[in-house]
Amino acid sequence: MAKNTLFSKPMIGVDLGGTKIYTVVTDETGAVLGSSKKSTQGKKGFDAVMRRCAETVNEALEQAGLSAGKCGGLGMGVPSPVDQNTGAALFSPNLKWHNVPVKKTMEKHLSTQVFVDNDVNLGMLGEFALGAARGTNTIAGFLVGTGIGGGVIVNGNLIHGKNFTGGELGHMVVLAEGPPCGC
């Protein structure tokens, strides 16, 4: 019987959030071979966070018994709109980032191909390909973490929109005297 494969090689996935970094290494079927989790420590700045991301990748790879070179690449979700031409995170209020070179930096740290997108966009792609939205062609969803984000897929295509902010919820006052928005 043939193996049901998603990819031709193992893959690395990184979920970078405002409070935690979670990395998995999966085999060709999507089964988790290794994982690692660390606090983000965003106050230490972009370079420190990128080093922590690379550490989680290396720890997950070690647990999986693989090297980055044996994998098909790395997909990374970040809490920011992402310029799809450069892989730069454009604005992350919870991390205080403005136009930072996530893709370029991670590729230097790990010597592997890196794909970067908004974390909720990638979450919606996961649901579309493997989860609750499997078999549909149009979905919208929202995820709540340190912040709240949205992602939209129409006719099988992820919507990035103008300025790469498609699917973002915008801002609204929930509690008039509540805490100010991170941005």
Side-chain angles (χ1 to χ4, degrees), residues 3-154:
K3 194 175 180 184
N4 183 15
T5 61
L6 295 171
F7 310 108
S8 60
K9 292 183 174 182
M11 297 296 288
I12 306 162
V14 177
D15 177 16
L16 169 62
T19 55
K20 65 135 179 79
I21 303 161
Y22 182 61
T23 297
V24 296
V25 176
T26 67
D27 70 9
E28 296 84 348
T29 69
V32 175
L33 302 174
S35 65
S36 180
K37 183 177 177 181
K38 290 186 181 297
S39 63
T40 303
Q41 298 182 2
K43 290 181 181 181
K44 292 185 177 181
F46 174 73
D47 291 329
V49 171
M50 291 294 96
R51 282 191 300 276
R52 289 182 71 73
C53 288
E55 288 170 10
T56 67
V57 169
N58 288 326
E59 289 169 4
L61 284 166
E62 183 177 332
Q63 193 178 99
L66 294 169
S67 67
K70 296 286 185 189
C71 294
L74 183 147
M76 183 169 183
V78 297
S80 169
V82 174
D83 182 323
Q84 292 302 294
N85 301 309
T86 65
L90 300 174
F91 177 57
S92 180
N94 291 324
L95 294 173
K96 311 276 190 273
W97 289 355
H98 295 273
N99 199 27
V100 293
V102 175
K103 174 181 169 66
K104 184 177 177 181
T105 303
M106 288 302 289
E107 286 178 342
K108 282 183 187 175
H109 279 296
L110 298 167
S111 301
T112 191
Q113 182 179 358
V114 174
F115 171 79
V116 182
D117 203 342
N118 172 270
D119 53 356
V120 179
N121 284 347
L122 294 182
M124 290 302 100
L125 279 176
E127 290 298 329
F128 181 76
L130 300 169
R134 185 182 225 170
T136 64
N137 71 353
T138 300
I139 66 167
F142 305 103
L143 295 177
V144 178
T146 304
I148 301 172
V152 178
I153 296 174
V154 176

